[in-house]
Amino acid sequence: MEDGKNANPLILNPSDLPTRRRRASARQDHSALDVSLAYPAPSFSNDPFARSSSPSSIEESDSDAEDEPIDTQEIYDLIATMSDPEHPITLGSLAVVSLPDIAITPTIPSRPASNLQTVTVLITPTIQHCSLATVIGLGVRVRLEESLPPRFRVDVRIKEGTHSTADEVNKQLADKERVAAALWNPTLQSFIKKMLETCE
Amino acid sequence: MALSDARDYVLAVESNQHEAAEIARSTAQKLESRQVTLIEVVQSLGEYINNGDDKIRARAVSYLVSVISSLPPKYLSRQQIQVLCHFLCDRIEDGGAIDGLSKLQSLDRFTNEMAQTVVRAIFEHFADLQTRNQAGRYRVLQMLNELLDRHRKALRDMGDESLVGITELVSGEKDPRNLMLIFSMLRVLMVEWDITMHVEMMFDAVYAYFPITFRPPPNDPYGITAQDLKDRLRDCLAATPLFAPHTFPNMLDRLDSTSNTVKKDVLQTLAACADNYDPATISQYSITLWDAVKFEVLQAQESELAEEALRVLRSIAECLSTHAYSSANSALLQYLKPINKECLEHLQEPAARQAKASGNILTAVSSASIQAFEIIMKAIGPALITMYQSGQGLVQQRAVLEVSNQLFEASIDVYGSWTALSPKNPQGRENLMGEFKDQVVAIYSQALMGTVKEEVSFRLTAANGLLLLSKIRGMLSENEIGLFVQYFDDIVLKEESYGRDELKKRAMAALAGISHFKPGLISDITFPAFMARLPDAEEAQPEIYQPVLEGLAEISVEKDLQATLMRRLLNKVEFLFKSSQGTSFPYTCSILGTILYVLNRAAAASQSPLDAYYDRVVIGLSRRATETRGGPLTNETVLDILGRIMNLIVRHSPVDKVQMAAENIYLLFRNNQLVGDLPTLSTLLEPPTLTILSTWLLAALPRSIHSVDLDKAQIPRTIDELILFASKTSSLAITQSCLSQISLYTNKHTKPADLSYVDNLLSQRLLGLRDEPMGDTESIDFGIRLAFALTKALILRLSPKTNQYLTSLVDLLDENQHPREVSRKAAMGFATILSPDDVLSKKNAAEIRLLAPQRVFQILTPLISERFKASQSPSEKENYLIALSGILASVPSDIVMPELPTLLPLLLQSLDITDQTVKVATLETLAVVISNNPSALEESGHIPALVKRLIKVATVPKYKSPKDASGAGIVPPTNLPTARRLAARCLALLPKYVGSAGSRANPLLGLKREVLHGLTYVLDDHKRDVRKEAVDARAAWLRGVDDIDDDDDV
């Protein structure tokens, strides 16, 4: 362990990770089994002659009426499938990122009309002196910056009390210029590329 | 004269192979008819055979060889063979001599001695084999291989001479084709020769090639892959235990390689060794191997390698299990001891990664044999129970259960399940787990039923475990399994829904699983419990009956249970049919849907006839429907499902019952006296909804059957009546049913000679559509539907005038000849032509030619493209695009691809029109084009235009005035989320397929900036699904479209 690697981390089961619950408004799906017993739609219901220019069947389940704002679960889904640089295991399974440690807040609270928002992600390294905490932080930062619209500010930090040199790492992660400089480093680039390969 | 033959041959062989062969054949015939002797033939070569020119000599030898090859196999005597053999051996380096020897050795009179002579000649003359060209080497090797095949004993008798000779002969070979032969020859030597004096030489001869790094050139005509070579090399290394002192240390060294491919080769070789070496040898290395290989599992970087490593560990255990088991200090025990010890240590932290890996190791090793399982179970079983009981929390406990579940699976593997004995347990040995079973059952029961419902994954693990336990052969009693069945029943029926209902699904699947090996328990416990839950009235909530019906269908696989289920469900349906209120009948439909599902499954599984239900369902319910004037039996949806059930039963009934159905298409089994002598269609189809039943009955009939209604004189009358009947109804379902019947008659029951009636009808209808509508839009609608129904029926059977029919349909789109509404409606109709149809289907014996979709597509695409270009009116252009997208939606992509050059411009235009259905169909086609045929896309040069349009479709246009958000204002046309999502998906696919291969510059490079910028707006879409695709697309363009790609030219 002296090299700052954790060879035997705790792993969460995929079915225990937070996921988006089935929407209540989703079509009536009471199926308890994977087999579909639903009786076939009547043969006469398929009528291409009767459709309007935007088909009603698509319209009902798929309209813009319901707004789906970006929420913490969505942020989680973006980063939880990234893999740890030293294990072929996702950050979600390793609990490096977790849903309660993600927050979305208005960037300028005094101006409610502004749509600028800040995403804060707290990272929990698998061990106190994890040598790769900075790399993981950078990876998460890169993933979020390329995946979120420009009105979002990204703030990635080490969770308090989980890392021996948290302050130093945080300083590096918060420093735009140091982040940009680090991303020019080819070794880091390949590390981050590898982390992002498993993104779903 | 023989002399002249030889001369002719030598002169001809270069210029005319065929003639040369003919000359050789005629010489052979002369030999056979004794006009010349073999000596004369050989002597005739004299002039050439000693010629200084290699080529001339080669031609002379090849003449002799051709002659020999043309002789019948028994012609040559032993002496003659002997002479020829020596003659050819002396000239073995001359072209063709090898072929001659190869021919000779295949003769029955070829002796062992001669074989040895040939081998010695090879050794003598080909010491410099590697300096010759590949083809030459290949011929020699092939010859050697043939000798090894047919005259193995002769070669083996040569002992070291052949062993060393062959090994030295082949050393240094590099060509994969030759190596394939060499590896298989060397393996024969290793296995069948005494190599004890030459172990190292033999080992080095093959190990020199490890690891195989061969990569076949693109379009390799020989089709030899690296894997082929690896397989043969591995067989060599694993050929004999004598290699063990060399293989194992070398392999373990190579296991430290940084290349995963090499590691994989090493692990596969080790597994092959463990499979082939004897237990005494393996036992010397087992612990060394464990110490090295375990890291590949415990610290796995690559799950594939971990799998291979587990296979090695299991193979070792399997190998050692063949050793005598009785001794307490057996080799197997020696091997398993350190494994048990180390795994137990890791299991102390059950939820950690290495504990999981340890579980995998224990499972792999214990599934090797009963002996291995018992050793491991004795060491690990009690420890797991203690660990669970002292568990520090659910996460840890769940991990313990996971490991136990894996061991249960191993137990099924070695002891067998209820349905299958294990080959590893021929004596039916009693399961060691019997000792723990009470404790285990208690733990698992408590875990499943005594845990709060929020702990889904914990309970899922417990449910898995209980199912596995109940599967193990001879382990649990009926009562105990019955208890589990009760648990699963309660979970499915009584528990509240939670989350994604994974546990309910798992419990249901477990019940279905148990029904395979303990059907009695299911029919006694589950079946009544489920039946009791079915409501009696239509007003029930789907949440209540739907899972119950699905459950019932799933557990009633066994025959008796299925019959009972059908009886009970039919009772229920008949009871529900009594009600005469209500307008929709979802519950009735669900029950009918279940009946349909179960009957479908029964028909597919056993091919057994379904006529047991004929009287009750087909006759009884048809008759009942004729007598009903309200309620479910006049509901179109109910009748449609009922019709499908009848259709299925008739199709799986004996001929006499099918005939009966053919006579009752419209009579519907009414009692004869109630019907007049010559009833008209409209009196028989009363209530009109009966049409739906008639349609399904008609659809079920085979083409060959005869009845009054199917008479060729009657069909035109029926079609006329159906048209009249349909034009009077206001119900779309009835209209469609009538049209389906017309399609069925046209497609299945009209001979080609009688089609003129249909042709007339069609052209008359098409002509009628040219007139301006006279305030009667319904007749236009019906006219177009009829035209398409008839055309579809005709085209699917590829009737001779297919081309003409399709052209007249495209003519409908011409706004100069037809009213606008007609053209627009007809454009939509193109989607019907090839779309799958439940009524007019192969199952229902419709005549659907295999090439129909291709023909339709090949006729329509150029036609539509040409008219599109000629057209001036935007709305007409749009019609063509709508028609095209309708066809595209149901044509397999391999038919679409060849037409791409014509299609692409149209597809791009389709992205500009507002019709969303067209847009969605187009985007779906484009997604297929991008992934299946990116090169065509690149060659077309349309990529920039495509990318720009995709960005436009994916982006939601911004409001100009945000204050007007109340919505009443003018909203710019927005694409549906599906269209936006698909557009983003297409963008994501592009970098994956385009520009990755080929020497040209990546066409995406210049677009990268624009795409990345465009996508930032899509990242802020209202819809999550759209954003998701945009995220993927951006990631793909960021990393998939590289500036430094040019440096990659290796």
Side-chain angles (χ1 to χ4, degrees):
Chain A
M1 294 252 175
E2 59 282 353
D3 60 347
K5 285 191 177 185
N6 184 358
N8 192 19
L10 204 74
I11 299 169
L12 299 181
N13 192 281
S15 57
D16 287 335
L17 299 179
T19 52
R20 197 172 294 285
R21 286 270 195 83
R22 185 183 63 195
R23 256 178 302 159
S25 65
R27 90 194 121 84
Q28 299 262 303
D29 178 16
H30 308 289
S31 175
L33 276 171
D34 292 330
V35 294
S36 168
L37 230 182
Y39 48 87
S43 52
F44 44 80
S45 66
N46 173 24
D47 184 20
F49 292 102
R51 68 176 176 84
S52 64
S53 69
S54 57
S56 57
S57 60
I58 299 182
E59 194 93 81
E60 269 165 32
S61 61
D62 184 52
S63 73
D64 275 319
E66 198 182 335
D67 211 9
E68 295 168 346
I70 295 176
D71 58 10
T72 51
Q73 177 72 49
E74 188 164 336
I75 305 286
Y76 179 82
D77 290 341
L78 283 174
I79 53 180
T81 52
M82 295 169 66
S83 52
D84 184 287
E86 52 180 343
H87 310 279
I89 303 172
T90 65
L91 296 184
S93 301
L94 289 167
V96 172
V97 295
S98 60
L99 193 54
D101 290 336
I102 298 172
I104 300 179
T105 46
T107 308
I108 318 170
S110 54
R111 281 178 53 195
S114 152
N115 67 356
L116 294 184
Q117 294 193 296
T118 302
V119 175
T120 313
V121 177
L122 301 181
I123 288 178
T124 314
T126 51
I127 43 169
Q128 279 272 326
H129 38 267
C130 180
S131 57
L132 290 167
T134 324
V135 179
I136 297 177
L138 270 175
V140 170
R141 212 191 150 96
V142 168
R143 171 73 170 160
L144 289 178
E145 275 176 355
E146 65 183 47
S147 310
L148 289 174
R151 64 184 175 87
F152 280 82
R153 301 282 171 271
V154 177
D155 183 14
V156 178
R157 273 177 285 150
I158 304 290
K159 194 172 177 178
E160 220 170 295
T162 62
H163 198 267
S164 45
T165 56
D167 288 345
E168 202 173 302
V169 176
N170 284 340
K171 206 182 269 175
Q172 166 135 27
L173 287 176
D175 187 335
K176 263 197 178 156
E177 274 166 31
R178 281 171 75 178
V179 168
L183 289 179
W184 278 103
N185 179 334
T187 331
L188 264 179
Q189 270 183 353
S190 73
F191 254 128
I192 288 173
K193 194 170 174 183
K194 204 170 169 224
M195 289 175 72
L196 294 177
E197 263 167 16
T198 54
C199 282
E200 283 165 7
Chain B
M1 68 181 295
L3 188 72
S4 68
D5 276 351
R7 192 181 55 228
D8 291 348
Y9 182 94
V10 171
L11 292 176
V13 70
E14 201 77 329
S15 54
N16 192 338
Q17 292 277 344
H18 186 74
E19 194 190 324
E22 202 47 56
I23 295 169
R25 236 190 321 275
S26 86
T27 312
Q29 269 164 10
K30 284 176 201 161
L31 276 170
E32 226 180 318
S33 57
R34 307 202 183 275
Q35 294 176 30
V36 289
T37 63
L38 190 65
I39 303 290
E40 286 167 352
V41 173
V42 176
Q43 280 170 347
S44 75
L45 294 170
E47 177 189 340
Y48 307 105
I49 205 77
N50 294 319
N51 195 302
D53 186 346
D54 285 356
K55 276 189 193 152
I56 307 266
R57 282 209 313 276
R59 285 181 205 171
V61 172
S62 81
Y63 168 63
L64 186 60
V65 170
S66 300
V67 174
I68 298 172
S69 307
S70 309
L71 288 170
K74 302 271 183 197
Y75 177 84
L76 292 171
S77 73
R78 204 164 124 192
Q79 277 81 6
Q80 286 174 322
I81 297 178
Q82 175 101 31
V83 170
L84 286 171
C85 181
H86 277 288
F87 182 78
L88 289 174
C89 278
D90 287 344
R91 290 162 180 77
I92 198 164
E93 291 180 65
D94 286 343
I98 293 278
D99 293 332
L101 287 168
S102 158
K103 175 72 192 170
L104 288 180
Q105 67 86 30
S106 71
L107 300 174
D108 289 339
R109 296 193 182 116
F110 192 83
T111 62
N112 283 351
E113 245 167 80
M114 298 181 210
Q116 292 178 349
T117 313
V118 175
V119 172
R120 290 198 179 100
I122 292 178
F123 291 162
E124 193 181 324
H125 289 273
F126 292 107
D128 57 345
L129 188 66
Q130 288 310 316
T131 61
R132 289 160 200 265
N133 66 13
Q134 189 273 332
R137 300 201 305 273
Y138 186 72
R139 293 260 286 284
V140 174
L141 293 170
Q142 213 173 16
M143 166 82 210
L144 200 55
N145 193 35
E146 282 164 9
L147 285 170
L148 212 48
D149 225 29
R150 279 185 69 95
H151 307 283
R152 188 168 299 176
K153 190 177 170 308
L155 269 62
R156 194 167 47 219
D157 289 344
M158 295 166 74
D160 280 2
E161 185 187 358
S162 59
L163 180 71
V164 178
I166 294 177
T167 312
E168 281 178 354
L169 181 76
V170 301
S171 74
E173 180 60 61
K174 288 203 175 60
D175 186 87
R177 286 160 284 176
N178 297 357
L179 279 175
M180 289 297 280
L181 273 180
I182 290 173
F183 286 153
S184 77
M185 286 194 282
L186 288 178
R187 184 162 185 279
V188 171
L189 299 182
M190 291 164 181
V191 175
E192 298 191 21
W193 266 244
D194 174 14
I195 64 162
T196 36
M197 303 304 293
H198 304 281
V199 173
E200 194 158 357
M201 174 191 79
M202 295 305 290
F203 176 78
D204 288 342
V206 287
Y207 182 69
Y209 296 100
F210 190 93
I212 299 273
T213 50
F214 167 66
R215 199 178 295 171
N219 308 322
D220 179 24
Y222 309 107
I224 293 174
T225 63
Q227 195 55 48
D228 296 332
L229 287 168
K230 285 178 182 180
D231 290 346
R232 295 228 171 149
L233 175 60
R234 189 184 331 118
D235 288 346
C236 286
L237 290 171
T240 162
L242 292 171
F243 284 165
H246 302 284
T247 334
F248 288 134
N250 277 308
M251 284 297 142
L252 293 183
D253 263 0
R254 298 278 192 156
L255 197 54
D256 294 334
S257 161
T258 49
S259 151
N260 282 340
T261 334
V262 174
K263 286 179 123 178
K264 188 175 154 194
D265 290 347
V266 167
L267 291 169
Q268 287 183 339
T269 307
L270 289 177
C273 292
D275 288 338
N276 285 324
Y277 291 2
D278 62 311
T281 309
I282 290 294
S283 66
Q284 291 171 39
Y285 295 93
S286 63
I287 294 177
T288 323
L289 287 171
W290 153 250
D291 277 331
V293 168
K294 67 182 180 190
F295 291 107
E296 299 306 320
V297 186
L298 290 171
Q299 319 212 333
Q301 297 288 335
E302 202 59 53
S303 60
E304 199 191 357
L305 290 181
E307 287 296 319
E308 297 291 349
L310 288 172
R311 229 178 70 67
V312 175
L313 296 176
R314 185 176 59 232
S315 292
I316 296 174
E318 271 167 5
C319 173
L320 296 179
S321 300
T322 52
H323 223 34
Y325 160 63
S326 50
S327 80
N329 226 0
S330 72
L332 182 63
L333 190 63
Q334 293 304 317
Y335 170 59
L336 293 179
K337 252 187 192 162
I339 298 186
N340 276 337
K341 183 163 171 286
E342 174 143 11
C343 288
L344 256 181
E345 274 168 26
H346 292 306
L347 285 172
Q348 297 305 320
E349 275 180 78
R353 182 171 172 229
Q354 289 179 348
K356 205 171 163 223
S358 300
N360 293 338
I361 292 174
L362 290 172
T363 312
V365 178
S366 62
S367 59
S369 66
I370 290 201
Q371 296 92 308
F373 182 84
E374 292 188 351
I375 294 173
I376 286 177
M377 197 30 117
K378 272 185 199 146
I380 305 287
L384 282 177
I385 292 176
T386 323
M387 238 179 271
Y388 180 87
Q389 283 162 345
S390 62
Q392 308 97 326
L394 282 186
V395 176
Q396 276 75 16
Q397 286 184 319
R398 198 188 73 88
V400 174
L401 294 188
E402 283 285 358
V403 175
S404 314
N405 285 356
Q406 285 185 298
L407 290 174
F408 295 162
E409 275 176 46
S411 170
I412 295 175
D413 221 3
V414 296
Y415 291 102
S417 66
W418 290 106
T419 44
L421 264 172
S422 166
K424 291 169 190 157
N425 187 15
Q427 283 108 29
R429 198 180 153 88
E430 201 175 310
N431 195 326
L432 178 80
M433 294 218 309
E435 290 176 26
F436 313 110
K437 83 171 182 188
D438 290 342
Q439 266 175 302
V440 170
V441 167
I443 286 175
Y444 272 83
S445 302
Q446 163 71 21
L448 179 64
M449 302 310 283
T451 315
V452 288
K453 65 171 194 264
E454 284 77 10
E455 295 295 342
V456 179
S457 69
F458 184 68
R459 298 185 66 198
L460 279 174
T461 307
N464 287 346
L466 286 177
L467 177 62
L468 287 168
L469 277 172
S470 60
K471 269 188 194 165
I472 303 173
R473 188 180 189 85
M475 169 114 136
L476 298 182
S477 67
E478 294 272 308
N479 281 343
E480 285 161 318
I481 300 177
L483 189 69
F484 302 166
V485 170
Q486 192 75 56
Y487 295 156
F488 292 137
D489 283 357
D490 288 351
I491 289 171
V492 175
L493 296 177
K494 296 189 183 152
E495 281 193 15
E496 276 174 47
S497 164
Y498 177 77
R500 280 169 295 182
D501 277 337
E502 286 163 300
L503 188 64
K504 278 179 186 269
K505 285 181 196 164
R506 193 64 59 85
M508 200 55 245
L511 287 172
I514 294 175
S515 76
H516 287 290
F517 53 89
K518 293 282 173 200
L521 290 174
I522 298 294
S523 64
D524 291 348
I525 304 173
T526 308
F527 196 76
F530 274 57
M531 266 331 256
R533 287 263 160 171
L534 276 188
D536 285 323
E538 185 60 60
E539 293 74 33
Q541 293 298 307
E543 294 84 345
I544 295 173
Y545 61 74
Q546 197 63 29
V548 177
L549 282 173
E550 282 174 15
L552 281 168
E554 216 39 37
I555 57 173
S556 310
V557 178
E558 209 236 355
K559 211 173 174 199
D560 290 342
L561 214 50
Q562 182 183 305
T564 318
L565 175 69
M566 291 317 281
R567 203 168 50 242
R568 303 283 289 272
L569 290 182
L570 284 170
N571 287 346
K572 196 127 270 188
V573 166
E574 285 181 351
F575 177 79
L576 288 167
F577 280 164
K578 280 187 193 143
S579 88
S580 54
Q581 276 123 39
T583 50
S584 77
F585 306 90
Y587 181 41
T588 311
C589 288
S590 283
I591 298 182
L592 286 171
T594 311
I595 294 177
L596 180 62
Y597 173 83
V598 173
L599 287 183
N600 249 324
R601 186 180 58 196
S606 61
Q607 301 294 326
S608 65
L610 298 176
D611 59 329
Y613 303 105
Y614 191 91
D615 287 351
R616 181 165 183 186
V617 178
V618 181
I619 299 182
L621 293 182
S622 293
R623 196 173 281 163
R624 189 157 169 182
T626 64
E627 292 156 2
T628 315
R629 292 295 176 269
L633 274 178
T634 54
N635 177 276
E636 291 159 358
T637 314
V638 171
L639 285 174
D640 186 70
I641 308 176
L642 186 57
R644 284 170 195 264
I645 296 173
M646 293 183 181
N647 174 278
L648 182 67
I649 295 173
V650 172
R651 279 193 285 120
H652 291 87
S653 290
V655 186
D656 57 321
K657 302 222 158 146
V658 177
Q659 183 62 43
M660 193 152 78
E663 282 152 14
N664 278 286
I665 303 169
Y666 299 108
L667 286 173
L668 292 168
F669 306 94
R670 286 176 175 93
N671 292 329
N672 276 337
Q673 57 269 38
L674 295 180
V675 188
D677 276 342
L678 271 173
T680 62
L681 205 62
S682 52
T683 51
L684 286 175
L685 295 178
E686 182 54 46
T689 38
L690 288 177
T691 322
I692 298 169
L693 286 187
S694 293
T695 305
W696 283 109
L697 282 180
L698 175 64
L701 302 176
R703 265 180 267 167
S704 53
I705 205 151
H706 295 287
S707 83
V708 184
D709 286 321
L710 298 174
D711 186 70
K712 80 171 186 189
Q714 178 59 36
I715 287 178
R717 283 202 288 274
T718 311
I719 291 182
D720 283 340
E721 278 190 86
L722 283 168
I723 292 173
L724 192 67
F725 186 74
S727 60
K728 276 192 244 159
T729 179
S730 58
S731 152
L732 178 66
I734 292 169
T735 310
Q736 289 286 75
S737 263
C738 289
L739 292 170
S740 288
Q741 291 194 20
I742 294 173
S743 293
L744 286 168
Y745 282 125
T746 310
N747 181 278
K748 287 170 64 181
H749 303 288
T750 308
K751 296 223 167 58
D754 304 328
L755 279 176
S756 58
Y757 165 78
V758 183
D759 280 348
N760 288 338
L761 181 63
L762 184 60
S763 49
Q764 185 193 325
R765 283 286 160 168
L766 287 172
L767 216 62
L769 287 171
R770 293 186 170 219
D771 305 332
E772 278 296 322
M774 309 210 277
D776 185 8
T777 47
E778 268 173 42
S779 71
I780 291 183
D781 180 71
F782 183 72
I784 294 174
R785 282 169 192 271
L786 180 59
F788 274 92
L790 287 169
T791 314
K792 175 174 186 171
L794 291 166
I795 288 173
L796 288 181
R797 59 189 277 182
L798 280 184
S799 94
K801 292 187 196 159
T802 298
N803 213 326
Q804 183 193 322
Y805 298 138
L806 285 170
T807 314
S808 19
L809 286 188
V810 177
D811 286 341
L812 286 176
L813 303 178
D814 186 345
E815 288 185 348
N816 295 325
Q817 293 182 35
H818 296 94
R820 267 188 180 205
E821 316 160 52
V822 171
S823 296
R824 175 48 58 97
K825 201 119 226 177
M828 294 173 173
F830 277 80
T832 61
I833 297 180
L834 291 177
S835 69
D837 188 325
D838 288 347
V839 180
L840 195 66
S841 67
K842 271 240 148 55
K843 256 196 224 160
N844 286 329
E847 189 172 356
I848 300 176
R849 303 287 284 273
L850 217 57
L851 287 177
Q854 196 168 348
R855 275 289 292 284
V856 171
F857 191 73
Q858 281 170 351
I859 295 169
L860 282 180
T861 314
L863 197 60
I864 290 179
S865 160
E866 182 191 312
R867 302 266 176 108
F868 176 85
K869 280 184 203 144
S871 167
Q872 297 301 322
S873 135
S875 73
E876 193 178 274
K877 273 179 181 271
E878 193 165 325
N879 286 343
Y880 287 120
L881 295 177
I882 293 172
L884 182 68
S885 83
I887 294 290
L888 277 179
S890 42
V891 174
S893 61
D894 48 339
I895 297 181
V896 178
M897 290 311 155
E899 301 287 335
L900 264 188
T902 326
L903 268 178
L904 268 175
L906 294 182
L907 290 177
L908 290 180
Q909 303 249 21
S910 299
L911 290 182
D912 293 338
I913 62 176
T914 46
D915 187 313
Q916 294 295 308
T917 316
V918 174
K919 219 170 243 180
V920 169
T922 308
L923 287 165
E924 272 165 359
T925 308
L926 282 170
V928 177
V929 170
I930 295 169
S931 39
N932 289 4
N933 204 347
S935 53
L937 199 60
E938 275 182 67
E939 277 154 29
S940 74
H942 287 304
I943 287 184
L946 172 65
V947 166
K948 286 188 174 77
R949 284 188 168 84
L950 287 175
I951 297 175
K952 204 174 143 218
V953 175
T955 315
V956 178
K958 276 201 173 149
Y959 284 102
K960 282 282 179 255
S961 50
K963 280 175 191 166
D964 193 28
S966 52
I970 318 114
V971 182
T974 304
N975 291 307
L976 281 180
T978 319
R980 304 202 299 266
R981 184 171 57 78
L982 283 168
R985 155 91 48 85
C986 286
L987 282 172
L989 287 174
L990 277 168
K992 214 177 278 173
Y993 295 99
V994 175
S996 50
S999 48
R1000 273 173 299 168
N1002 188 343
L1004 302 182
L1005 213 53
L1007 301 159
K1008 184 170 176 174
R1009 183 184 289 268
E1010 187 179 349
V1011 172
L1012 291 179
H1013 178 74
L1015 280 172
T1016 52
Y1017 297 103
V1018 191
L1019 289 176
D1020 217 358
D1021 198 277
H1022 304 296
K1023 286 295 189 181
R1024 198 165 287 129
D1025 292 344
V1026 183
R1027 292 197 296 265
K1028 180 82 196 92
E1029 294 291 350
V1031 167
D1032 292 348
R1034 269 200 113 221
W1037 280 78
L1038 271 168
R1039 275 175 292 280
V1041 183
D1042 256 332
D1043 312 352
I1044 44 170
D1045 227 33
D1046 316 24
D1047 307 353
D1048 253 14
D1049 300 337
V1050 184

